[in-house]
Structures are given as C-alpha cells and as structure tokens.
Amino acid sequence: MKRNYKWLTLLLLLVFAVSITGCGGTKPAAEGGKDDYVVKLGYYNCDHMIGAVVGEAAGIYEQMGLKVKLFGNGKVPQAMAAGQMDVGYIGTRGLMASRPKGAPIKVAANNHIGGSMYLVVANDIKSPQDLIGQPLGIGNEPEKSEDWPVYAKTLGIPVEGSNYKCIEFDSDQAAYLALKTGQIKGFTCCDPWASMAEYEGTGYIMATYMEMMTGDEKQMGSCCVYSMNENFKKEHPELARKMVQAHVEALKYVYTHPIKSARIFAEYYHVPEEVALRTIYKKCVAEGRTLTWKIDEGQMRFAMKVYQNEKLMDEVPAYEDVIDIEFYKSCNLEDFDKFIKEKVDPVFPVGMSYEDWKKKAKEIDA
C-alpha cells in the first residue's frame, strides 16, 4: 500500500508512544480467572481494513466474548511498532520494515492480497501522456513507492517524479478533495476514494494496481495483514486466538452480507452507501477474492522479493521473523478456499455484474 514509512525512525516511535500513554500496554490475565482485558485494535481509512469495523458493528466481538476498543484512522502502524497497540490492520511492507528496528509485531493472519490501489485522474485527462507536467498526489518521491512505478510502466509514462509536480498528502481523502476542487489532476489511493470519484463524477480510474512487479516479473503479493503484538499474544494467548477467529468471521460476513457490511462501512468511513457498495463489490467480486485470512507463503515471499529488488526497504527481514505460522495454525481457522467455493461462488460468482450482484445482495439482506 502507498504509505510514508518515515515513521519507522525510533524518535517518532518514542514520541508516539508518549502521546498515547492512555492506551497502556498489555497486562497478564488473572491466573485461573476470566480474562477481561480490553483489546486495542487499530485500523485506518482504507477499505482493506473493513474487517475491524464489521467485527464491532455486526456484534462479532461481543458474541465471542471479546472486549475490543477500536482506534480508527490514527497512526496505527506507529502504535503497533511502538508496542502500544495489541492488534492492527496494517500494510505488509510497513510491518516487515519495522521488524529489523525492533518492533514487537508479527503477522497473525492475512487480510488483503493484491494492491487494489487506483490511479484516479480528472475528467479532462484523456490519455496517460496528459499527466506529464501536471500536479499529482503521488508523493514526493513516487519512484520509491510500491505502486506508482507499476502504474507508470503499465501506462507507458515516465516513472521519475521529476516529470510531474509531485505533492504529498497526509491522507487519500485529502488528495480526493484536492482533485475535486481542481488543485491536482490525479492521485493514487485505495478505496473508497476511487469509488467516490466515480460516484460524484469528479474523476475516473485510469489504472488499477493489483499485481506487484519487479523487473519483468509480476505476481499477486500481500497488501496488508492482520498484525499482532508479541507481548499481547504471550500474555493473553486465548484472547489472541479469539481475535484472529473474529477477524475471520468479520471477513466471512463481508462476503456473505454485503448490504449490511456496506451500511457499516458507510457509517464508519463517512461515505454514501452506494460508494460503500461499489467498494465491497470491487474487493469481493470484480477484482477476485482479495479479502482473505489465508497466509500464502508464495505471495508473502514474492512481496519480500519486490521490497528487496526495488530497494523499498532498508533491510528485509527473514520470512520466519515476520510470519508466526505456528500461531496461525494453532487458531484452527476455517479453510478460506473451501469457504469461498461453498458459500460465495454459488451466490456471487467472480465476473458477476455490479447490478446483478447488488440485486442478489438485497435479496439476502432485505
């Protein structure tokens, strides 16, 4: 995912740790008693993190006997890296970059594969070449980002930022507002802001970043993961497993109850319900089954290969140092592929049109 990784400096981590002292750290459960610990779960303003809010609003955490406090749209990667949050939906690259710096977090389950990132441009941009020399929300050094080089190479335009008026925004929402008000001619983002541009008619998606690329090699990688604080996992092992299971139930809910999930998404992300629906359709049908809890070693290792070859990280850690596969297996999770084949494919097959999907979804969630 497109993110600014300057937060990985130790100074920023310490500053942030102080700023959220109210969150506290983990503490051991009382021996032989019920674990009433309140789990701190973070997510940020990207559609890939929908599982966090669905878990709360659909009552999944409560049904599983979990006490969870959500921290939305804040500095979740920093909090996780500083050891001040228990569980977080964060970018795979950010997690892996933080491990060599001592961050006490590992991948507990997957969350989203592929990029599902978008290059959104103004309506008066008729060809990729029209972007050259224009103000774009693609970051100050787009050639060092994960997604921009893929867009540029696919569209046949220069990768180097010197060919554009590059602007760094602190959020996708801010970039969208800049496009809407005519300050920029394009920007890269995750949803719901690409769907918002289409919904409001302020722009259109020129390119989609799905597969990662290094040289001539392209393959699906891991975009963002369900990360967990190692101290929380050690001190609250049963709660930790339940949290992963709740993550699974939340994603299953999104696939099987898209209308209800869209209403939740619209409320938490402050967008129209139609935009939320378009967003969920992209993730669950149009672009395949990109929301997933399944850890695919091939996808993870390819992502790490891209980080290494494209010099997107100072130091790429060992696979075993970022993926806690034994903990993942101990959670006894439902098989993702079997779930999709039995519960999703017969109802919402890949390739289904948006209108047919929405009609069927309304029949389920009348």
Side-chain angles (χ1 to χ4, degrees), residues 292-310:
T292 180
W293 59 85
K294 176 184 176 182
I295 294 179
D296 185 303
E297 183 174 348
Q299 293 171 346
M300 288 288 184
R301 288 191 180 277
F302 184 73
M304 298 175 81
K305 181 179 180 179
V306 172
Y307 303 150
Q308 180 75 51
N309 292 356
E310 303 304 316

Side-chain angles (χ1 to χ4, degrees), residues 270-281:
H270 309 293
V271 295
E273 190 173 312
E274 177 65 21
V275 171
L277 279 168
R278 290 177 180 274
T279 293
I280 292 174
Y281 170 72

Side-chain angles (χ1 to χ4, degrees), residues 42-60:
Y43 71 99
Y44 45 87
N45 196 5
C46 173
D47 59 316
H48 305 173
M49 282 64 175
I50 187 174
V53 297
V54 166
E56 179 176 73
I60 293 170

Side-chain angles (χ1 to χ4, degrees), residues 14-136:
L14 290 173
V15 170
F16 189 77
V18 172
S19 72
I20 59 171
T21 51
C23 291
T26 63
K27 59 182 179 181
E31 289 187 20
K34 181 181 179 181
D35 194 343
D36 288 325
Y37 180 76
V38 178
V39 182
K40 298 177 288 294
L41 172 63
Y43 71 99
Y44 45 87
N45 196 5
C46 173
D47 59 316
H48 305 173
M49 282 64 175
I50 187 174
V53 297
V54 166
E56 179 176 73
I60 293 170
Y61 302 139
E62 184 178 2
Q63 292 164 15
M64 297 184 67
L66 292 163
K67 295 182 178 180
V68 180
K69 183 174 183 180
L70 293 189
F71 291 83
N73 304 326
K75 298 180 179 179
V76 179
Q78 295 95 318
M80 290 297 297
Q84 296 294 315
M85 193 167 286
D86 302 316
V87 187
Y89 288 82
I90 66 176
T92 308
R93 177 181 166 194
L95 182 146
M96 292 187 179
S98 71
R99 285 297 291 161
K101 300 179 185 297
I105 53 176
K106 286 188 178 182
V107 176
N110 209 344
N111 178 60
H112 191 274
I113 62 171
S116 290
M117 301 286 290
Y118 310 98
L119 172 61
V120 180
V121 301
N123 291 319
D124 60 353
I125 297 296
K126 304 303 181 183
S127 73
Q129 286 68 33
D130 292 341
L131 292 172
I132 298 174
Q134 296 291 345
L136 303 177

Side-chain angles (χ1 to χ4, degrees), residues 108-352:
N110 209 344
N111 178 60
H112 191 274
I113 62 171
S116 290
M117 301 286 290
Y118 310 98
L119 172 61
V120 180
V121 301
N123 291 319
D124 60 353
I125 297 296
K126 304 303 181 183
S127 73
Q129 286 68 33
D130 292 341
L131 292 172
I132 298 174
Q134 296 291 345
L136 303 177
I138 56 177
N140 294 326
E141 296 180 300
E143 59 272 14
K144 295 182 180 180
S145 71
E146 195 173 314
D147 54 343
W148 172 256
V150 179
Y151 296 127
K153 291 174 184 177
T154 301
L155 295 173
I157 55 178
V159 172
E160 295 74 18
S162 58
N163 294 280
Y164 315 91
K165 297 175 183 177
C166 300
I167 302 174
E168 183 85 43
F169 288 94
D170 60 3
S171 70
D172 291 346
Q173 182 177 15
Y176 172 70
L177 291 175
L179 179 79
K180 186 175 180 178
T181 55
Q183 299 175 58
I184 59 175
K185 289 297 183 180
F187 69 105
T188 57
C189 65
C190 58
D191 242 353
W193 305 109
S195 292
M196 181 69 95
E198 293 180 326
Y199 174 75
E200 294 192 325
T202 55
Y204 68 96
I205 298 172
M206 176 170 276
T208 299
Y209 166 57
M210 287 293 292
E211 294 181 307
M212 302 184 78
M213 176 186 292
T214 178
D216 294 329
E217 191 177 0
K218 292 180 71 174
Q219 184 178 316
M220 292 291 272
S222 174
C223 172
C224 52
V225 293
Y226 192 70
S227 64
M228 191 166 287
N229 187 306
E230 290 292 282
N231 296 322
F232 166 70
K233 192 190 307 176
K234 179 180 178 181
E235 296 165 1
H236 306 272
E238 291 309 312
L239 286 187
R241 290 186 182 88
K242 278 190 175 182
M243 285 300 295
V244 178
Q245 291 160 0
H247 166 61
V248 170
E249 292 304 314
L251 295 190
K252 287 168 60 180
Y253 190 92
V254 175
Y255 274 106
T256 56
H257 294 282
I259 297 293
K260 290 181 179 179
S261 297
R263 290 170 185 158
I264 294 170
F265 186 92
E267 178 183 355
Y268 279 78
Y269 285 72
H270 309 293
V271 295
E273 190 173 312
E274 177 65 21
V275 171
L277 279 168
R278 290 177 180 274
T279 293
I280 292 174
Y281 170 72
K282 285 190 179 81
K283 304 288 98 61
C284 297
V285 178
E287 297 170 355
R289 318 301 192 181
T290 58
L291 289 171
T292 180
W293 59 85
K294 176 184 176 182
I295 294 179
D296 185 303
E297 183 174 348
Q299 293 171 346
M300 288 288 184
R301 288 191 180 277
F302 184 73
M304 298 175 81
K305 181 179 180 179
V306 172
Y307 303 150
Q308 180 75 51
N309 292 356
E310 303 304 316
K311 297 180 173 57
L312 298 179
M313 287 167 48
D314 294 334
E315 180 182 351
V316 179
Y319 177 81
E320 294 73 18
D321 191 44
V322 291
I323 314 292
D324 193 342
I325 198 67
E326 292 306 315
F327 172 76
Y328 171 77
K329 290 178 179 178
S330 76
C331 294
N332 297 315
L333 305 178
E334 183 173 345
D335 182 272
F336 175 76
D337 295 325
K338 182 179 179 181
F339 161 72
I340 292 295
K341 182 178 180 180
E342 295 180 354
K343 303 295 183 181
V344 183
D345 287 344
V347 185
F348 301 118
V350 172
M352 190 178 200

